Amino acid sequence: MRYTSNKGFNIESHDIESTSLQQVRNEIPKLMEDDADIIVLNLQQGLGKSFNAMQYMSTNSNTMFLTSKHALLDELEKYFNNENLDTIHWRGISNNKSPCIQKNTKLFKDLINLGYKANFICEIMACDYCPYKDQFKHTERVLAPIQYLNTNYLENDEGSRFKTFIVDESITQLNEYPYDLEYLLEVIKPLYHFSSSWFYEFLQTLLKDKNIIGLESYKDEISIEIKNTLKTIYTFIDEDNSIESIESKTWKNDIIHLSKFNIDDIITSLKFQKLYNFEISDWYEPNIYKVFNLAQKSKIILLHATFNLDLFKDMLSSYSSEIGINKTINVKVFNTKLQNKSTKVYNVNKSAYYPNYSLERGAINEIGDHVELIANQIGVKNVGIIGLSKYNKYGEYVDETFLKTGIDALHFGNSTGRNILEDKQCLVVAGSWMQGGIVEEYNKLYLDKLDEKKCKSLEVDKGTPYTFHPEIHPKLHLVQKVFNESELLDGMHRNRGLIHDNRTIVAFSHIPEQIYHDFTVIEDKKIELSDWKDIFPKKETPVYELVKDFLENSELNDYEIAKELELRKDDEYDVELVIRIRKHWNESKEFGI
């Protein structure tokens, strides 16, 4: 288990008492101005995390926004450009929107495919002006993928380059520092072929002996030797900028691995192995540690819709012990507690916890029938679905399957921050998100050594949503809850039932605890297919809407539309009515009504 310490930090948790949606939204900008080192905005879904981030960055320069959601970064970039605010979106060198002017050349693509890193590629290309590197000089307003937390671009010799960092949901992600000696010895073989046998054998000895002092003392020399070896290999590239001359070499894979050899990561792994008396072979650093580093130099605003205070405390306690805190970190957590009881959740099949069992063997077969009937009552465009990526034994994707019927769909693991279901009156949840490898994730987060097979003894009844007992092993249960319930909770908020009245959620799944607080859950009786006709009374669509739908989605003429809709006046089709509606529809388009 990780060492822990409660020294060097203070945590306060505050519930926002306002019960009005508008009051809470008015409160959020004030909370972002708090003087705490880390401000955690534990905002329920739909309350405007992204909007408030945009507003804060509009008036606070020297701010960096980090997230794993590339679509959100593009959205923010578009907003700031429209507002004529000086902003830049940092992009990786191989990103399809990278500012690198060489990215479309064959040489560039070959080097990327071989695993060469950005700095090496830039040196080879030797451009007079490099817009890729130039982007990192910008510090006014910066948008960047969360991976940039692990780079040197956020700090310089004077300290942090930014006054404020806004970080979007980053607690359970891990940075791995493995130390596989057999692999490392294989990786450095190209040094023997292209550098010197003496240096190869010298580095071999340092690695075998886990000689931290030696590796640190010769760190620069090792980095230079690796770089020079990669340059030597580069000379094998043909003059026509193809890599064909080395395609057939047996050591091509060694080149790919050598380019990933990172002496700093190796030293980091060994230092923490030593901290734990070499009882661990690999070091796993929670990504949130990078945030704790920055919090001692800059202001941090952490945005999180499914924040777990217990896990956060555990990670900060481990950081205090393993890394150490130089300046006291003051943390304030602000929680919203809004409810919208007009949104109803119908628990149709709460036994659908295990996709490999219940969803294949009956439960999933019900969903199509229920969805078809609901769509018939309220219209296909008013229904959305979220479910498992592969939901049956045939490996069909839930989003692809239902999209064929005209119903918008998302799948778990790819839904956070996506708003295509926001306007849906009814959201169908097809199965519970159950991430595998929970014991492995737990072991990495807590540096424990639980055996997954032996953990079977910690399981509770299969009819419950979590297999690991909260009393027998509370930390393992906590990790499972964070990984699984967070995704499901976010999914159940996709049609924004908190901020829109009279929304419906049809659940073939476990119901997260938070949902019972947020909405009205109906589970006292089994929902039959026939019940949907009472729950969703069918409304007659006005003639204008029916005609407009044909005008928008077909090329039928006025007579054909009147005939299709059986619009009659006396004994003839009412073409004049269609003509009047078409005229009004054209005018509406022209004047933007």
Side-chain angles (χ1 to χ4, degrees):
M1 292 287 285
R2 289 188 191 270
Y3 300 146
T4 60
S5 170
N6 292 323
K7 296 179 180 179
F9 64 89
N10 302 302
I11 299 179
E12 298 177 13
S13 183
H14 304 273
D15 291 343
I16 301 174
E17 299 300 331
S18 303
T19 57
S20 157
L21 175 62
Q22 193 55 52
Q23 285 177 341
V24 170
R25 284 178 164 169
N26 291 340
E27 193 76 16
I28 294 171
K30 301 173 188 175
L31 301 178
M32 298 178 82
E33 299 292 346
D34 195 275
D35 60 0
D37 300 304
I38 300 179
I39 300 166
V40 181
L41 295 181
N42 184 20
L43 306 179
Q44 291 160 284
Q45 292 85 347
L47 295 186
K49 296 198 313 300
S50 304
F51 175 78
N52 281 284
M54 289 190 293
Q55 294 301 303
Y56 183 90
M57 293 182 73
S58 296
T59 56
N60 293 271
S61 59
N62 195 217
T63 299
M64 184 177 202
F65 183 91
L66 295 138
T67 183
S68 59
K69 305 163 194 166
H70 291 274
L72 177 55
L73 293 174
D74 291 338
E75 180 185 329
L76 294 175
E77 182 180 26
K78 182 179 179 181
Y79 170 82
F80 290 126
N81 288 340
N82 289 340
E83 296 295 317
N84 294 316
L85 293 170
D86 188 20
T87 309
I88 196 162
H89 181 171
W90 286 1
R91 302 181 190 273
I93 196 167
S94 59
N95 185 283
N96 60 0
K97 294 183 180 179
S98 167
C100 176
I101 57 179
Q102 298 281 358
K103 66 181 179 183
N104 293 321
T105 65
K106 189 174 188 307
L107 175 59
F108 176 92
K109 293 176 181 178
D110 286 338
L111 292 172
I112 286 290
N113 290 335
L114 276 177
Y116 284 107
K117 292 187 177 180
N119 287 340
F120 180 82
I121 292 174
C122 287
E123 191 170 324
I124 293 297
M125 296 300 185
C127 301
D128 294 331
Y129 167 66
C130 180
Y132 168 73
K133 285 187 175 180
D134 195 59
Q135 69 178 335
F136 301 118
K137 297 175 183 177
H138 190 108
T139 59
E140 183 73 9
R141 285 177 198 81
V142 173
L143 310 169
I146 198 73
Q147 290 82 357
Y148 276 96
L149 272 176
N150 301 307
T151 68
N152 297 322
Y153 295 119
L154 311 191
E155 300 179 76
N156 55 28
D157 293 338
E158 286 75 42
S160 173
R161 296 179 63 206
F162 297 89
K163 183 179 178 181
T164 306
F165 292 91
I166 302 177
V167 184
D168 185 36
E169 304 192 2
S170 175
I171 293 183
T172 55
Q173 295 171 350
L174 291 158
N175 302 310
E176 299 191 16
Y177 296 90
Y179 194 85
D180 183 337
L181 181 60
E182 185 177 343
Y183 172 76
L184 290 173
L185 296 180
E186 189 70 22
V187 159
I188 63 172
K189 275 187 177 179
L191 292 175
Y192 182 86
H193 295 291
F194 296 101
S195 177
S196 71
S197 58
W198 174 87
F199 193 85
Y200 165 70
E201 291 167 1
F202 173 66
L203 182 54
Q204 255 194 339
T205 302
L206 292 178
L207 293 171
K208 286 179 179 178
D209 294 343
K210 295 187 176 182
N211 189 333
I212 298 173
I213 295 175
L215 288 168
E216 283 193 311
S217 300
Y218 288 94
K219 183 175 75 169
D220 292 341
E221 287 84 351
I222 292 170
S223 296
I224 291 170
E225 203 66 33
I226 295 287
K227 189 174 183 179
N228 288 339
T229 300
L230 289 170
K231 280 185 178 179
T232 302
I233 296 171
Y234 164 73
T235 62
F236 280 76
I237 298 176
D238 290 340
E239 291 181 1
D240 65 348
N241 289 343
S242 74
I243 209 76
E244 293 169 0
S245 57
I246 64 169
E247 280 292 334
S248 60
K249 301 294 182 181
T250 58
W251 34 260
K252 179 185 174 183
N253 285 336
D254 291 339
I255 299 168
I256 295 173
H257 294 308
L258 181 63
S259 65
K260 297 176 182 177
F261 185 93
N262 188 314
I263 187 63
D264 291 314
D265 288 355
I266 290 169
I267 292 170
T268 297
S269 181
L270 287 175
K271 281 184 174 179
F272 285 100
Q273 286 185 51
K274 183 178 180 181
L275 177 66
Y276 286 93
N277 300 313
F278 291 98
E279 292 178 2
I280 61 171
S281 57
D282 300 316
W283 164 248
Y284 299 95
E285 178 191 58
N287 209 34
I288 197 72
Y289 276 20
K290 304 294 186 184
V291 174
F292 298 150
N293 285 340
L294 294 169
Q296 297 171 74
K297 306 160 190 173
S298 301
K299 177 177 181 176
I300 303 291
I301 300 174
L302 184 61
L303 306 176
H304 215 295
T306 54
F307 179 77
N308 187 285
L309 183 57
D310 291 331
L311 183 60
F312 181 84
K313 284 180 178 176
D314 286 347
M315 295 300 100
L316 187 49
S317 297
S318 298
Y319 174 85
S320 176
S321 176
E322 294 176 342
I323 309 296
I325 297 175
N326 300 319
K327 172 186 170 292
T328 301
I329 300 175
N330 293 304
V331 181
K332 286 187 182 179
V333 182
F334 297 102
N335 312 290
T336 59
K337 298 290 183 180
L338 287 177
Q339 295 178 313
N340 189 343
K341 293 300 183 178
S342 75
T343 290
K344 293 182 174 62
V345 181
Y346 290 91
N347 199 348
V348 181
N349 189 335
K350 60 184 177 181
S351 66
Y353 299 144
Y354 299 92
N356 292 334
Y357 298 96
S358 61
L359 288 186
E360 281 187 16
R361 301 178 185 179
I364 195 65
N365 298 324
E366 297 177 51
I367 295 178
D369 295 334
H370 283 265
V371 171
E372 183 179 359
L373 201 151
I374 293 169
N376 185 54
Q377 291 297 113
I378 63 175
V380 167
K381 292 182 179 179
N382 292 315
V383 182
I385 190 164
I386 182 168
L388 302 157
S389 58
K390 290 183 178 179
Y391 77 94
N392 64 21
K393 61 186 176 183
Y394 303 109
E396 294 174 339
Y397 284 86
V398 68
D399 48 354
E400 292 177 0
T401 301
F402 284 98
L403 281 171
K404 294 174 186 175
T405 68
I407 295 175
D408 289 325
L410 293 173
H411 60 79
F412 292 123
N414 190 32
S415 65
T416 305
R418 300 182 67 189
N419 298 322
I420 66 169
L421 307 181
E422 182 175 357
D423 297 325
K424 305 301 179 183
Q425 179 186 344
C426 177
L427 173 69
V428 178
V429 181
S432 297
W433 170 263
M434 297 293 286
Q435 178 168 323
I438 291 297
V439 174
E440 181 182 357
E441 293 295 338
Y442 160 81
N443 283 337
K444 291 177 180 180
L445 276 169
Y446 285 92
L447 286 187
D448 207 349
K449 297 180 179 179
L450 289 182
D451 186 306
E452 188 154 8
K453 292 181 180 178
K454 292 180 179 179
C455 283
K456 292 288 182 183
S457 63
L458 304 177
E459 290 185 353
V460 292
D461 180 60
K462 288 283 186 183
T464 61
Y466 302 114
T467 57
F468 299 116
H469 202 292
E471 294 178 6
I472 298 177
H473 205 299
K475 296 300 183 187
L476 181 57
H477 176 80
L478 171 64
V479 171
Q480 188 169 41
K481 182 175 180 179
V482 167
F483 274 86
N484 290 340
E485 187 151 302
S486 296
E487 183 75 21
L488 184 56
L489 176 61
D490 185 83
M492 285 193 168
H493 272 272
R494 283 298 99 200
N495 71 334
R496 296 296 184 242
L498 194 65
I499 61 176
H500 297 298
D501 291 336
N502 300 312
R503 291 292 163 92
T504 302
I505 300 165
V506 179
F508 289 82
S509 68
H510 160 61
I511 307 291
E513 292 175 21
Q514 181 66 35
I515 292 295
Y516 287 91
H517 169 274
D518 296 347
F519 307 134
T520 296
V521 179
I522 299 170
E523 55 184 355
D524 55 345
K525 76 181 192 78
K526 180 173 174 59
I527 303 295
E528 305 291 348
L529 278 171
S530 58
D531 291 329
W532 296 122
K533 292 184 179 180
D534 296 325
I535 295 170
F536 296 112
K538 197 166 186 178
K539 298 177 181 178
E540 292 298 327
T541 305
V543 171
Y544 178 86
E545 294 296 328
L546 292 171
V547 173
K548 190 177 78 167
D549 189 58
F550 272 97
L551 294 174
E552 290 177 344
N553 301 300
S554 78
E555 297 182 357
L556 299 180
N557 61 35
D558 299 332
Y559 176 82
E560 290 168 334
I561 292 174
K563 183 177 180 181
E564 191 73 24
L565 291 174
E566 289 290 326
L567 301 177
R568 290 182 177 273
K569 186 176 181 180
D570 299 327
D571 293 330
E572 297 180 348
Y573 289 116
D574 195 349
V575 179
E576 289 299 321
L577 175 60
V578 177
I579 292 172
R580 290 198 302 272
I581 293 175
R582 183 186 290 276
K583 181 180 178 182
H584 182 271
W585 179 66
N586 286 331
E587 290 173 349
S588 298
K589 287 198 302 179
E590 182 179 353
F591 296 106
I593 299 174

